[in-house]
Amino acid sequence: MDLSFGPEYDDFRADVVSFLANNADKAPKGNDLRGEAAKDWQKLLIENGYTCRTIPKEYGGYGAQPDIIKSRIIAEEFSSARINAGLGGQGISMLVPTLLEMGTQEQKEQFIRPTIHGEMLWCQGYSEPGAGSDLASLTTSAVLDGDEWVVNGQKIWTSTAHIADWIFCLVRSEPDAPKHKGISFLLFDMKTPGIEVRPLVDMTGVANFNETFFTDVRLPKHQIVGERGEGWQVANAILGHERETLAPANTAQTRINALIELMKQETVNGDPLINNPVYRDRLMKLQGKVMAMRFNELRILSARLNPGQDPGMARMITKLEGTELRHDLEGLAIDVMGEMGLAYDDNPHLRNSGSWQREYMYFLGLIIGGGTSQIQKNIISERGLGMPREPKFEKAS
Amino acid sequence: MQFGLSEEQILLQDNVNRFLDDNSPLDRVRAYADGGADADIWTGLAELGIPALLIPEAHGGIGLQPLDAAIVAECLGSHIAPTPFLGSAVMAPTALVASGGDHGELLADIAAGTMRIGIAFGEAIKRRNDAGVSVKDGRMSGTSMYAFDAEADAYLVADEHQHIYLVRTDDPGLTRSDLATVDKTRRTVELNYENVAAELVSADPTVFEASIDIGRMALAADTLGAAQNMLDQAVEYAKQREQFNRPIGSFQAVKHMCAEMAAQLEPCRSMVWFAGHALAELPDEARVTACHTKAHLAEVGQFIAKTSTEVHGGMGFTDLVGLHYWFKRIGANRQWLGAPEFVREEAAVLQGI
């Protein structure tokens, strides 16, 4: 057991801390993906190696060798300082790693730089009305007509489709192949004729999701990642990674510290909520869970650094446990505030900018999205515990 | 950076597990539960050096760390082994060493496995009913409830000031009577003192705290082992048992119960490791971590004890399968050395909350 990262990392951490202290005023507030402030901040972070750290310089990244500990130190310090850690979005988090692994030279050169610099915003066309948990049954079709693909069908839950420049999309290109082998991974411009985007307002009141319809959408044949019929493998190359990072423990730690502050400040009949024994116990119970998840992440980190070490099911359970934990944690903040906990929108009595209600609902969305909690339990029981699969029903003829 | 067990620790784990596979199978535990003795198991473990684990080499011990004790506790919990490990090998040596007193002879006897020291701290943690002890001029009077273990040669007894005294069971003023509990894998006793010779071991509350902290960590580790064993049994049963012409483990209603158990238990392993490590290396975090680990394992353990029994259906409820021994062991670990609500309150106070 050795939890030290070594002296060279102490220097690195000191650099991150001093960068944050000197530049905090330049960081954008909120989640604006397109504003100039966000783009300038992104460029500054890339120049200093605090985001897009391992993306090669030739594609606009910082070009460092992968160093798990440095990445972790950056994440820890940005999170504890509560400073924007750079642009997110599915283009940066999902498409760029996919292109680096499976893209052609031309695709890397064309797409990675504008994407990580915030000039090109992507949306992800995976789920369909009839293909949710059973994603591989998707039916949006792509037919080759000369040198062009012709795409028809409908996607749903396409986050940011209404503002995206491009889409990466799973389509059925080989209708006669088995379902996992008939899918291709296409890239196309959202301004292409035949695309209609209809916003879907979610329970938080935000229209971030969309329904996206394709009618005879034509795109050049070469805008495919991997070969025809390999789209499922291309998409899965990074899906597991997305699940692990949805609800990191250091953010849960930041939130529970904020909740402790809230409970010290808010009073009922003049008495701080932190003195209420029922709320105290619920708080401490959640703090214990956050602690367990932090140590679980240490084990995952250690297994990455020490290839001989077996992380058990530590990685497999993080999406399920992490998202449920955050939902519970945000929910406790609402409970302790009583009627005040209902405050929303422009209510003058909002606490923490209304984030408790917003995150409470947002994490319910994450419990469902990215593979529902029920799908996670199938994965844990079948792949982790070796339990038998559910027998398949024959299709009714 | 390496967060996990060392090769030596994995070897220790393998050795203890192998010994317990051979010497503490369920039939052997049943024999103890029916009134038998545990001396042979403890003697065997003494040959592996288990009572000497935390005792400094200068006193005939091995001088290992709290994390090593956690590893052994997990093995014992998995096998629901009847032993005086918690008191004699973990809490008593920790208190005796931390006291800074001259206990060399006592420690050497504990290390050799020839002396068993029990713990009667209940009244110093949370005094129930009329129990409690008082000491005047080196003489103890009063009552300790739910002291463990039942065959100890001497006990460390704490009073409400968290002062620790050593009393010996051959003292004519000491009466020891069995207190039956649901957990038959370890026996607890009531101790009545009438003018019993009491040797002051420590009047420093931090000595008491050091002993309680490591005791709580060891109980959490015991629950980790017991809960993992129950989960393994449930998964195995669900793969074998068939209803509606298919293994019940292929039904999502059943497999999701198993997934929930695994998902909650997996982080507990890291938590117990960290708690053990913190006791030796991270004094600022050690106490809060020990409290949270004790309480969190109590909650997860309770969930797994119930759910894994349910996966077994009617058989889980019978004595035939013996699952109830694990269920009750986990239940006892939850109550000993502070129930979860009390321990969580301690965690809050320790953080200045």
Side-chain angles (χ1 to χ4, degrees), chain A residues 331-346:
Chain A
L332 175 57
I334 294 167
D335 281 1
V336 301
M337 288 189 284
E339 305 96 315
M340 295 263 297
L342 299 171
Y344 207 54
D345 298 325
D346 59 354

Side-chain angles (χ1 to χ4, degrees), chain A residues 130-272:
Chain A
S133 292
D134 184 12
L135 181 61
S137 69
L138 59 92
T139 57
T140 292
S141 68
V143 177
L144 207 52
D145 178 21
D147 283 342
E148 289 182 325
W149 289 105
V150 182
V151 176
N152 280 283
Q154 183 194 343
K155 294 292 175 180
I156 195 168
W157 320 127
T158 25
S159 305
T160 70
H162 55 300
I163 49 171
D165 302 299
W166 278 62
I167 183 169
F168 55 101
C169 193
L170 292 179
V171 295
R172 185 155 304 281
S173 57
E174 330 296 317
D176 300 325
K179 72 176 182 180
H180 292 90
K181 298 195 168 151
I183 296 169
S184 293
F185 191 106
L186 301 183
L187 312 173
F188 51 96
D189 192 323
M190 285 296 282
K191 288 187 291 293
T192 316
I195 301 177
E196 190 198 342
V197 176
R198 293 185 205 155
L200 270 176
V201 177
D202 69 35
M203 69 187 290
T204 70
V206 171
N208 191 43
F209 287 140
N210 300 275
E211 295 177 287
T212 307
F213 298 84
F214 306 120
T215 311
D216 292 330
V217 175
R218 303 183 81 90
L219 55 128
K221 184 181 165 183
H222 65 268
Q223 285 177 198
I224 181 171
V225 181
E227 300 295 321
R228 284 180 68 152
E230 283 184 5
W232 187 253
Q233 291 92 299
V234 174
N236 270 288
I238 54 162
L239 252 186
H241 175 71
E242 181 204 27
R243 279 182 193 144
E244 261 179 60
T245 54
L246 282 175
N250 57 11
T251 319
Q253 173 81 4
T254 306
R255 289 301 277 176
I256 202 149
N257 290 342
L259 175 54
I260 292 169
E261 285 313 306
L262 179 79
M263 288 174 64
K264 284 179 177 170
Q265 284 159 17
E266 298 296 319
T267 59
V268 168
N269 299 333
D271 194 22

